[in-house]
Amino acid sequence: MPSEEEKKSADASSAASPSGSPAFYDSRHGESAAHGHGFFREVWDGFKRDPNASVGQGASGRGNYDAETAAKATAESPLARKLKGRHLQMIAIGGSIGTGLFVGSGSALATGGPASLLIAFSLIGIMLYCTVHALGEMAVVFPVAGSFSAYSTRFIDPAWGFAMGWNYALQWMVTLPLEIVAACFTVSWWTHNSINNDAWVIIFIVVIGAINLFGVRGYGEAEFVFSIIKVTAVVGFIILGIILNVGGGPDGEYIGGKYWHAPGAFNNGFKGLCSVFVTAAFSFAGTELVGLGAAEAANPRKSLPTAIKQVFWRITLFYIVSLTLVGLLVPYTDDRLIGNSSADVNASPFTVAINNAGISVIPSIFNAVILLAVLSVGNSSVFGASRTLAALAEQGQAPRFLGYIDRKGRPLPAILITTACGFLGFFAGSDKEGDAFAWMIALSGLSSIFTWGSICLAHIRFRKAWKQAGHTLDELAFRSQPGLIGSWVGFIFNVLVLIAQFWTGFAPIGYAEMSAAQRTEVWFEVYLAGPIALLCYIGYKVWFRTKIVRTKDMDLVTGRRDLDITELLAEERAERAQWSRGRKFYKFFC
């Protein structure tokens, strides 16, 4: 029998719990402590609104934006902090390896040739290396919901934060159906279209939706598995590609660099190179998700720097090395590289290279990897869009219902709306397929460039405000390796890419043979994200009359999880000073 003291303690717990039942739930961390409740009751209670959740009043009326309340809402978001270091590392390494690399690189090779492919991906990779380090520095200091869109609001202009938040959410909302269709095309490689693609659309939507309903831990575990498989496949292709290139294939033919001589290293000259930049940007999209996950990391100060540093290896090994081999093994004149759709797995230069070598089994295995890769990016699409929409709602920049976060830390309405965008994949079976997906790609093509440029600009302004407030770099738990110079390089390069894409959209390859209507359509397909971002920015700025945030007015306190760690950081730096040269070299990159 319980004692009188135990009964009183239980009564007190019951009165304090939000449901009136004995402290069955810790709403902050999404952990059930249920006693006496069945499994289904616990699941049902998990979908209820977190009592600690609140939606900010960032934009409560015309000419009225409360930046302080908005910053507090993103800092105190009840998202579950369950991502571990291994989750963040795999999100950083394999989070964006999908159709952009495996399939989209085929059309890029056909457009620009192997040299353009390598140069464009290398330049975007360098720019992204600088960008992700800038993001990592801010995300370790401010692991808030919404990450880079919130930084644009706080360090640039609330109107620009609004534009970048919706720009990023829309990017992932249209990427989801693209990835689902790519998965359907992959399956049809085996079924030969004997099963209607609409059936696969439903199956993939259910699978991706179910993974995200398991919460951030489910997303993290799924990405951990997906990324291991993708990384293994790319490493396997690199080994196989080297063997095939030196004559180790079934026919024993030495290939070397003959395709760089005939048909050649470049196609369509400088314009061909500029045209590859959008494909490269689309391929690298998703790398910034590691910063978005900081708000849901158990210990971002420890786990985020390691994940950020590993971007170097992903760019070098998984993109540059594999695409170098693709350019050596496949001539850009191969008709299969164009494909019937932007999501056509038969247009994958990886599959074409293996088929050219006369190997019959491996293409099927690699297509299975492509299937998992596109599902992985689809999974990331729901995560990226839902967290951004919820953060926008918390800042008062999106409908309030999108800010609903349940007791398991899931932004349910945002997840459901994003997942519902997957039904756009039904266009794959219609006669309007080409037009529909051309416009969806147009919406997402340049979005990453705007996002990355905003991250670099926000970091530049953050550093200025940090110095102006009397802080030193020694107070930062993680410092961007390329530093302020890297952020300027990243920002300027993003602007140059936007200019190059404006030119290739205004005067595309084959411009002389096009009618005026066709030229206009091509420009919008390439540059649609630009007018949309500007419209969002100007409209919000005019309506709410926001101002560019002055550095002396920037909030450098709200959302900082570790405020007084200067002594701890000094001890850690003293310890690192005692490391051997080999360990310092390893830790610099990992």
Side-chain angles (χ1 to χ4, degrees), residues 60 153 190 258 262 302 319 450 479 485:
S60 56
T153 295
W190 292 293
K258 73 174 186 178
K302 291 289 186 182
Y319 279 89
F450 281 106
R479 272 185 254 170
I485 294 175

Side-chain angles (χ1 to χ4, degrees), residues 131 135 138-139 142 144-156 160-161 164-165 167-169 171-172 286-293 384 388 395 450-452 454-456 458:
T131 302
L135 173 61
M138 292 187 291
F142 303 104
V144 299
S147 189
F148 30 85
S149 66
Y151 301 148
S152 291
T153 295
R154 186 183 289 202
F155 302 132
I156 302 176
W160 190 247
M164 289 302 96
N167 166 78
Y168 193 72
Q171 171 192 339
W172 284 121
T287 306
E288 69 287 335
L289 283 171
V290 68
L292 198 63
T388 303
Q395 296 174 89
F450 281 106
T451 297
W452 298 335
S454 298
I455 290 170
C456 292

Side-chain angles (χ1 to χ4, degrees), residues 364-376:
S364 185
I365 296 173
F366 209 84
N367 280 345
V369 173
I370 293 176
L371 176 62
L372 288 175
V374 297
L375 288 177
S376 168

Side-chain angles (χ1 to χ4, degrees), residues 476-492:
L476 298 174
F478 172 71
R479 272 185 254 170
S480 165
Q481 288 177 347
L484 201 57
I485 294 175
S487 292
W488 275 111
V489 169
F491 177 71
I492 292 170

Side-chain angles (χ1 to χ4, degrees), residues 56-404:
Q57 296 293 327
S60 56
R62 185 169 186 180
N64 182 15
Y65 185 86
D66 187 352
E68 184 179 344
T69 303
K72 186 177 179 182
T74 56
E76 298 177 354
S77 174
L79 293 169
R81 294 172 180 170
K82 291 188 175 183
L83 285 178
K84 297 182 179 179
R86 63 184 177 88
H87 297 140
L88 287 175
Q89 288 171 33
M90 278 303 173
I91 290 171
I93 291 175
S96 64
I97 299 178
T99 50
L101 175 64
F102 289 133
V103 182
S105 56
S107 62
L109 176 61
T111 301
S116 292
L117 184 72
L118 197 56
I119 293 170
F121 273 81
S122 297
L123 290 175
I124 293 289
I126 292 169
M127 177 266 290
L128 191 60
Y129 173 78
C130 297
T131 302
V132 173
H133 270 265
L135 173 61
E137 180 175 301
M138 292 187 291
V140 171
V141 179
F142 303 104
V144 299
S147 189
F148 30 85
S149 66
Y151 301 148
S152 291
T153 295
R154 186 183 289 202
F155 302 132
I156 302 176
D157 184 342
W160 190 247
F162 170 82
M164 289 302 96
W166 279 102
N167 166 78
Y168 193 72
L170 283 172
Q171 171 192 339
W172 284 121
M173 290 166 80
V174 299
T175 297
L176 177 60
L178 289 173
E179 298 297 328
I180 288 174
V181 170
C184 293
F185 273 112
T186 308
V187 172
S188 67
W189 191 86
W190 292 293
T191 64
H192 305 290
N193 294 316
S194 59
I195 301 175
N196 192 307
N197 275 345
D198 288 349
W200 295 113
V201 170
I202 292 289
I203 291 171
F204 293 139
I205 289 174
V206 170
V207 170
I208 291 171
I211 290 173
N212 280 273
L213 284 178
F214 276 104
V216 70
R217 186 65 178 272
Y219 164 75
E221 293 294 350
E223 280 306 298
F224 183 77
V225 174
F226 286 150
S227 294
I228 287 176
I229 295 172
K230 289 187 288 186
V231 166
T232 303
V234 173
V235 172
F237 175 81
I238 290 171
I239 296 170
L240 176 64
I242 294 172
I243 293 171
L244 294 177
N245 187 259
V246 299
D251 56 7
E253 179 189 1
Y254 174 78
I255 300 173
K258 73 174 186 178
Y259 294 134
W260 280 61
H261 297 284
F266 291 94
N267 188 26
N268 297 310
F270 182 67
K271 188 173 287 186
L273 170 63
C274 291
S275 298
V276 177
F277 279 124
V278 165
T279 303
F282 180 79
S283 301
F284 279 116
T287 306
E288 69 287 335
L289 283 171
V290 68
L292 198 63
E296 297 176 75
N299 188 351
R301 188 174 71 84
K302 291 289 186 182
S303 56
L304 200 58
T306 301
I308 292 295
K309 291 175 185 178
Q310 290 183 355
V311 170
F312 171 82
W313 296 109
R314 187 167 67 79
I315 292 170
T316 304
L317 181 62
F318 303 131
Y319 279 89
I320 307 306
V321 176
S322 62
L323 291 178
T324 299
L325 288 166
V326 161
L328 290 171
L329 296 171
V330 183
Y332 71 73
T333 52
D334 195 310
D335 293 336
R336 289 170 293 179
L337 295 176
I338 304 301
N340 299 317
S341 164
S342 60
D344 189 351
V345 73
N346 295 305
S348 169
F350 292 81
T351 305
V352 170
I354 298 169
N355 280 328
N356 286 349
I359 303 173
S360 57
V361 178
I362 295 182
S364 185
I365 296 173
F366 209 84
N367 280 345
V369 173
I370 293 176
L371 176 62
L372 288 175
V374 297
L375 288 177
S376 168
V377 177
N379 186 37
S380 296
S381 299
V382 176
F383 175 80
S386 62
R387 270 52 181 185
T388 303
L389 289 173
L392 285 169
E394 287 173 339
Q395 296 174 89
Q397 296 176 327
R400 290 173 59 88
F401 76 94
L402 290 172
Y404 182 103

